[in-house]
Amino acid sequence: MIYMRVTLSDVAREAGVSIVTVSRVINSSYPEKVSNETRLKVLETIERLNYRPNVMARGLQKGRTYLIGVAIVRVADSFFGDILQGIHDGAAAADLGVLLGTRRLDIGKDESALRELQSRGVDGIIYYGTTPNPKTAMKLVAEGLPLVQICNLHDHLNAPYVMVDHFRGAYMATEYLLQLGHRRIAHIGVHGGADPQGLQRLAGYQAALQAYGIEIDERLIVAADWNWESGYLAMQELYRRCKDVTAIFASSDFAAVGAMRACQVAGIEIPHDIALVGFDDLPFSAWLDVPLTTVAQPKEAMGQAAVRSLVGLIEEGSAPNVMFEPQLVIRASCGGNGKTRESRLQDQVSG
Amino acid sequence: MIYMRVTLSDVAREAGVSIVTVSRVINSSYPEKVSNETRLKVLETIERLNYRPNVMARGLQKGRTYLIGVAIVRVADSFFGDILQGIHDGAAAADLGVLLGTRRLDIGKDESALRELQSRGVDGIIYYGTTPNPKTAMKLVAEGLPLVQICNLHDHLNAPYVMVDHFRGAYMATEYLLQLGHRRIAHIGVHGGADPQGLQRLAGYQAALQAYGIEIDERLIVAADWNWESGYLAMQELYRRCKDVTAIFASSDFAAVGAMRACQVAGIEIPHDIALVGFDDLPFSAWLDVPLTTVAQPKEAMGQAAVRSLVGLIEEGSAPNVMFEPQLVIRASCGGNGKTRESRLQDQVSG
DNA sequence: GTGAAAGCGCTAACAT
DNA sequence: ATGTTAGCGCTTTCAC
């Protein structure tokens, strides 16, 4: 069977009125411009024919598609999944559709994803950049396409952003370790030039150390990536470099878990031998054998905020930047007064 | 600045040709119907003006949107994330856009998500149902909207499906435990009537036991949900019921991890005291303290297959059902010859 | 080879 | 209160 949609004119014909009248009934923008009798007749016909307005056709006329595009690295990822969920919920609330424009983690693949979204006529784009120099995004902004940056901030991109204060989050994590008495604190992080947020977290780590009068030891800073494996390898590298480390701030929970495993294998006990703090508060972090102390980002809230900003940009032409406060979630991986998973679960179950 | 797209007629005017000619240049369907000179001139103009075709307008004319809708429960989930990634990649390869139609886990919320997608004029829908009686989906199929079911199979829904053989996967998991010598094998699973796949996994578990001449003990079957907490609670319940269990087949890795934690807290050691098998092979399962033996589904491949099926359905009017084979991934949670995480990682790193 | 005209489903502006 | 006309950006006849 061929799929033929019911259109306005079908309804009009069936109801014995003109197309415009039906349109008026549908669009409440005409409160009392249709007689009650006609309105009822039309509504009945719509119901009977199972009519659904064609959003695309409406969009063509209005110059809007009521679609927003999301340009993120990939969706199969705990972190982006939460962000995307927030975006979706926010969009649903604003009657906007969400169009995926993912590209694989390859740096520089922004181009095609963004152009693709533009070509589909999205009203605006939520952009998670992975390039230090986001050329295509800048071009689109220059062309006037509403775009908001999420999580990552690009200096040269003239678009509002929604993100968490990475510097402050890293500072908080490091300071927490310092206050616990640690002095040899290592950092496993992402420092590729392409990742603004990784650099900000590094800077926060360094600033905290300096604030406590501790000299920065480059040997304690190990590069990793946003995944488990790299955290594992980074931990091995770190241990190769120096054995006197008592604490680690990892700039993502992925890396932290990888490091945890490397410790386990090497017979290093967490938190007894080494204290560990992560970043992001990913869903599994609370369910590890040693629940992870970490810096949480309000991921879903950020997704929703990004939609609100984008709507502002589309409709008012401007939107403020939104900076969320990170929050230190203290669990067991630094020992001390941290809550254990067990007590947390009791809270959860009883609460 | 207002965002005004460059249109065909802009290009035509600039290039001094008609709109149709430009359209012909764009659509390679007219191989040699345009003189080389004109073609070059037009292409140059397109480049200069940075023209991008308006996919929506094209769709309006063609009666297609080149958009497919994805109706899944939620995106912020390791499982759905992978599926969605597969769908996205498959769609990108077929030049299709992916529109999100998520609804929260509430049963019966299918309705609005599906209608919303229909209203946006998607060419077809990939559907993960959560209702035993998917009324809206059935109505859409009856109306002729191409729809393929993913992961879950609804008996009364006349639409092709792409999924893994849940029964067989559960059978394999249980048989593995049986071959390891276990006889008191419990099952933590999802048996709500709304979840076809949970029931199939239960059936596979039961069939394996029966094949080995073991009577089914209802006390060993505990209901859970697709999350950690419920696995944790289910394990506690199970242990309350009987203490002689030597193995557990959990019908999702989420539940398995929850059970693992409950064991840890209760001082039960895995795999020494109890062997554990999960289902789904979620990303974190390999990174647990005791890496989880589990039944893997080819999630991304299934997403891609679903797109191919949907394209077939849209373009040919039919598509075959696709049933993937589950695969038992043996790690450490059942002891014995299972690979440890450590050896796995060596493979990974060296390979 | 190229262009003019019609129309996809809808809404806005202007009648009546 | 209802209808007529025009046009959103594009593709598809059908002429030239």
Side-chain angles (χ1 to χ4, degrees), chain B residues 264-336:
Chain B
Q264 185 194 27
V265 166
I268 303 169
E269 211 179 299
I270 291 176
H272 184 267
D273 302 324
I274 288 187
L276 181 62
V277 184
F279 205 117
D280 288 345
D281 192 23
L282 300 180
F284 53 78
S285 302
W287 287 89
L288 298 166
D289 266 37
V290 180
L292 185 67
T293 292
T294 188
V295 180
Q297 310 194 46
K299 297 179 283 296
E300 291 204 25
M302 285 167 66
Q304 296 195 29
V307 174
R308 278 195 299 274
S309 285
L310 188 57
V311 171
L313 204 53
I314 293 169
E315 287 172 1
E316 323 291 339
S318 76
N321 295 322
V322 181
M323 182 74 100
F324 280 88
E325 275 292 293
Q327 201 185 342
L328 188 65
V329 178
I330 297 178
R331 292 199 271 250
S333 65
C334 300

Side-chain angles (χ1 to χ4, degrees), chain B residues 163-180:
Chain B
M163 60 175 215
V164 86
D165 193 334
H166 300 293
F167 178 91
R168 196 160 146 55
Y171 192 100
M172 285 165 64
T174 312
E175 186 169 44
Y176 175 67
L177 291 171
L178 286 163
Q179 288 176 344
L180 251 33

Side-chain angles (χ1 to χ4, degrees), chain B residues 18 21 24 33-35 38 61:
Chain B
S18 80
T21 304
R24 286 196 181 110
K33 292 287 193 183
V34 178
S35 77
T38 315
Q61 151 74 21

Side-chain angles (χ1 to χ4, degrees), chain B residues 70-322:
Chain B
V70 181
I72 56 177
V73 176
R74 51 179 279 122
V75 342
D77 179 294
S78 293
F79 182 75
F80 290 115
D82 281 356
I83 297 277
L84 191 56
Q85 184 75 49
I87 292 175
H88 175 272
D89 293 350
D95 262 316
L96 260 24
V98 176
L99 198 55
L100 249 39
T102 319
R103 63 243 180 239
R104 292 293 184 154
L105 202 46
D106 316 332
I107 292 191
K109 287 281 177 169
D110 296 28
E111 169 93 25
S112 58
L114 287 172
R115 286 294 181 194
E116 163 75 14
L117 289 173
Q118 181 196 25
S119 203
R120 293 210 184 257
V122 295
D123 293 344
I125 291 179
I126 294 178
Y127 176 69
Y128 180 102
T130 52
T131 338
N133 178 23
K135 271 176 32 201
T136 310
M138 289 168 69
K139 224 182 286 175
L140 291 184
V141 170
E143 288 174 25
L145 181 65
L147 183 149
V148 345
Q149 315 181 61
I150 193 164
C151 299
N152 248 341
L153 173 57
H154 297 86
D155 290 334
H156 306 299
L157 188 54
N158 179 25
Y161 59 80
V162 170
M163 60 175 215
V164 86
D165 193 334
H166 300 293
F167 178 91
R168 196 160 146 55
Y171 192 100
M172 285 165 64
T174 312
E175 186 169 44
Y176 175 67
L177 291 171
L178 286 163
Q179 288 176 344
L180 251 33
H182 295 284
R183 287 302 173 263
R184 293 291 287 167
I185 303 175
H187 176 53
I188 294 179
V190 185
H191 316 129
D195 245 305
Q197 61 175 331
L199 292 176
Q200 288 170 44
R201 293 179 189 179
L202 171 61
Y205 156 79
Q206 293 174 323
L209 291 185
Q210 279 165 341
Y212 279 71
I214 297 175
E215 204 174 332
I216 283 151
D217 181 347
E218 288 295 336
R219 291 179 312 146
L220 294 185
I221 299 176
V222 189
D225 209 334
W226 306 109
N227 59 51
W228 287 298
E229 284 79 1
S230 72
Y232 186 96
L233 297 174
M235 180 66 217
Q236 294 186 325
E237 167 67 18
L238 175 63
Y239 201 59
R240 215 173 289 126
R241 291 192 195 166
C242 18
K243 309 237 183 298
D244 61 344
V245 170
T246 68
I248 300 172
F249 163 51
S251 75
S252 101
D253 282 8
F254 282 121
V257 171
M260 241 183 199
R261 292 302 159 253
C263 288
Q264 185 194 27
V265 166
I268 303 169
E269 211 179 299
I270 291 176
H272 184 267
D273 302 324
I274 288 187
L276 181 62
V277 184
F279 205 117
D280 288 345
D281 192 23
L282 300 180
F284 53 78
S285 302
W287 287 89
L288 298 166
D289 266 37
V290 180
L292 185 67
T293 292
T294 188
V295 180
Q297 310 194 46
K299 297 179 283 296
E300 291 204 25
M302 285 167 66
Q304 296 195 29
V307 174
R308 278 195 299 274
S309 285
L310 188 57
V311 171
L313 204 53
I314 293 169
E315 287 172 1
E316 323 291 339
S318 76
N321 295 322
V322 181

Side-chain angles (χ1 to χ4, degrees), chain A residues 246-291:
Chain A
T246 67
I248 300 172
F249 163 51
S251 75
S252 101
D253 282 7
F254 282 121
V257 171
M260 241 183 199
R261 292 302 158 253
C263 286
Q264 185 194 26
V265 167
I268 303 169
E269 211 178 301
I270 290 177
H272 184 267
D273 302 325
I274 287 188
L276 182 61
V277 183
F279 205 117
D280 288 344
D281 193 24
L282 300 180
F284 52 78
S285 302
W287 287 89
L288 298 166
D289 266 37
V290 180

